Amino acid sequence: MKIRVLLLLLGLLAGGHVRPCASADGAVDSLPRFLSPIENVTVSVGRDARLSCVVENLDNYKVAWIYKGTGGRTVLTVATQVITKNPRISAAQEAQAWVLTVTKLTRKDQGVYMCQVNTKPVRKQLGFIRVVVPPTIDDLTSSKDETTEEGGNVSFTCAARGDPQPVIRWIREGGLKFTVNSMSAVEEHLGRKLTLHAVQRNSSGAYLCIASNGVPPSVSKRIMLSVNFPPQMVLDGGREATELGVVMESEVQLRCRFMVRPFGKVSWYLGPRGRRLADPGSIHTTVDEPDSGLWTSVLTVRVRRAQDLGQYRCVVSNSLGMEETVFYLHGETTTSPLSSEDFPGREYNDILRGEGGSGVGGGGGGATDDKQRKNPLRYFDLPTSAAPPTGRSSPPLATLEVLYSELLVCTLALVFVLGTS
């Protein structure tokens, strides 16, 4: 059997053939012919490829698959028998089609494959297997996360391989626009390199390098840009200072909002001399938006004495600078009830009502007291809830008190004189 295969290979390579058998009447069968051309295939590396060669009137002729590479020709199969030592090669007959299969393709499998019938001269067809490679990004030679100061320049590089050569485009995560080469804001940039000039704090974020070449899947690399900047206060309503009124034995929260990167230190001070508040339990600092560098520091003040009022300062600093905002706490004023000391004539009214002590006309309730109680002049008592007439302004309260006091003195003198007579 091996000798027959060897002779057949020599005939194929030499362009010879095996003579077909004659029919019973001495007629010779027609020669083999190809029914359709071989379809070229494009397959991704690692997958399987099939080439089909359809021949009719083959009779005793043989079909061989031969690989034509840069190193010459290599016979792969004769009929269904595998000649090469490559275990990924196989051949099968499907009706009139002779199918060559190459599994787990590598880039070396790309090239021309010839289907040859050992007629004389030989008849042959050519097919092509193209092995494509999906894109990959080389992390070692591509840019990594970068940190720069506001106003500086930054460049990113994305190194990708594949067959065909990948196309590289840059976008910002979330669809945000960015400025390239002082141009207007764009949504994407094509090229292996991305350069950003005079970056601002809003340039911070993730940039995506996407490589694609039509062979799925596309791949991407995420590169983070962090732009450092000095502290900046986020003022409430644009005010540089905030005033708050508080009452004693109360609690108030002072809220200080600021943007900074990197985060450095937050300190709270009380008073013009800048006494630092060291109670960690009263200060709570949190990050609101990590991407933008927005922070909030809250100081809880328990107002128990006058020394707790005054100026409070929130001071934020990092390696690039320092910024502060000011709060003023002042006590709330309250209105206390009026006492008898606020009304000079009140004691005289008390005497007329019989509420006096040992003053003039006082005593222990003698005849003089009875006369005082019956005296119609008691209606000179100080009115407490009378409203002024509509459309007329009432005299000041102090003036009325003085007048009432003088009238009461005169009345008491008159009563005393009448009583003694």
Side-chain angles (χ1 to χ4, degrees):
M1 179 65 182
K2 293 183 178 180
I3 296 177
R4 292 180 59 189
V5 171
L6 183 58
L7 293 175
L8 182 60
L9 287 175
L10 292 175
L12 288 171
L13 295 176
H17 67 280
V18 177
R19 180 179 293 274
C21 299
S23 60
D25 56 1
V28 179
D29 295 335
S30 58
L31 294 176
R33 66 186 186 94
F34 299 109
L35 294 180
S36 58
I38 300 174
E39 293 186 5
N40 299 331
V41 295
T42 299
V43 184
S44 180
V45 65
R47 298 183 178 275
D48 301 342
R50 284 166 51 97
L51 294 176
S52 181
C53 179
V54 182
V55 185
E56 71 171 357
N57 299 329
L58 188 60
D59 293 331
N60 292 328
Y61 291 94
K62 300 294 182 179
V63 174
W65 281 100
I66 301 171
Y67 174 70
K68 295 182 62 176
T70 55
R73 298 184 180 186
T74 302
V75 178
L76 303 177
T77 65
V78 175
T80 59
Q81 186 172 356
V82 178
I83 307 301
T84 182
K85 294 182 180 180
N86 189 342
R88 298 181 294 108
I89 300 293
S90 64
Q93 181 181 7
E94 299 175 2
Q96 293 181 315
W98 296 85
V99 179
L100 175 70
T101 301
V102 185
T103 61
K104 299 179 182 179
L105 284 171
T106 66
R107 299 195 67 179
K108 293 182 179 180
D109 294 322
Q110 178 171 289
V112 176
Y113 289 79
M114 180 169 61
C115 173
Q116 180 174 300
V117 181
N118 60 333
T119 58
K120 189 175 183 180
V122 296
R123 297 188 177 185
K124 58 187 177 182
Q125 275 189 323
L126 301 180
F128 189 82
I129 294 180
R130 183 180 183 188
V131 181
V132 294
V133 181
T136 57
I137 294 177
D138 187 358
D139 285 334
L140 294 178
T141 57
S142 297
S143 296
K144 297 175 176 57
D145 295 347
E146 182 119 2
T147 299
T148 187
E149 294 184 8
E150 195 170 32
N153 301 332
V154 63
S155 294
F156 295 137
T157 300
C158 185
R161 297 191 300 266
D163 187 10
Q165 182 63 34
V167 175
I168 298 175
R169 63 189 184 98
W170 296 86
I171 63 172
R172 283 192 70 177
E173 196 171 68
L176 299 175
K177 293 185 177 182
F178 55 99
T179 303
V180 181
N181 299 327
S182 301
M183 299 172 56
S184 58
V186 296
E187 292 184 351
E188 72 173 14
H189 172 72
L190 297 178
R192 184 174 179 269
K193 190 173 183 179
L194 172 66
T195 301
L196 304 174
H197 297 278
V199 295
Q200 302 299 312
R201 62 191 64 181
N202 57 9
S203 302
S204 298
Y207 291 76
L208 299 180
C209 153
I210 302 175
S212 57
N213 63 353
V215 183
S218 298
V219 292
S220 65
K221 178 178 175 62
R222 187 174 186 264
I223 303 175
M224 282 296 301
L225 172 63
S226 297
V227 180
N228 291 340
F229 54 89
Q232 179 183 6
M233 291 296 173
V234 180
L235 302 177
D236 183 13
R239 296 177 295 177
E240 295 184 359
T242 301
E243 295 189 10
L244 297 172
V246 295
V247 297
M248 289 297 172
E249 300 301 327
S250 66
E251 186 175 279
V252 64
Q253 288 187 335
L254 306 182
R255 192 175 302 273
C256 174
R257 302 186 73 210
F258 54 91
M259 299 179 68
V260 64
R261 186 183 291 113
F263 179 80
K265 182 174 64 174
V266 179
S267 303
W268 286 86
Y269 297 90
L270 170 62
R273 294 185 180 181
R275 179 171 66 86
R276 183 175 178 181
L277 303 175
D279 181 11
S282 62
I283 301 174
H284 186 58
T285 303
T286 57
V287 58
D288 300 331
E289 299 176 3
D291 291 341
S292 63
L294 178 63
W295 294 74
T296 298
S297 183
V298 179
L299 171 67
T300 301
V301 180
R302 295 173 178 84
V303 182
R304 296 191 177 96
R305 53 184 182 171
Q307 287 85 344
D308 295 329
L309 302 176
Q311 182 191 88
Y312 286 80
R313 291 187 300 130
C314 170
V315 180
V316 183
S317 62
N318 69 357
S319 59
L320 300 177
M322 182 180 69
E323 189 69 31
E324 69 175 48
T325 187
V326 181
F327 300 84
Y328 292 98
L329 293 187
H330 59 81
E332 292 281 7
T333 57
T334 58
T335 304
S336 59
L338 295 177
S339 64
S340 60
E341 296 178 356
D342 298 324
F343 299 94
R346 179 61 58 84
E347 60 272 20
Y348 299 108
N349 291 308
D350 295 339
I351 294 174
L352 288 178
R353 296 190 184 96
E355 300 172 357
S358 58
V360 178
T368 302
D369 293 337
D370 295 336
K371 290 180 180 180
Q372 289 174 353
R373 295 188 186 97
K374 295 178 181 179
N375 198 312
L377 291 177
R378 61 186 173 84
Y379 290 107
F380 281 95
D381 288 348
L382 177 66
T384 59
S385 60
T390 305
R392 300 169 58 185
S393 62
S394 61
L397 183 60
T399 304
L400 290 176
E401 290 291 342
V402 173
L403 292 176
Y404 284 142
S405 299
E406 293 176 353
L407 286 174
L408 287 172
V409 172
C410 294
T411 302
L412 290 173
L414 179 62
V415 170
F416 180 78
V417 172
L418 294 176
T420 57
S421 60

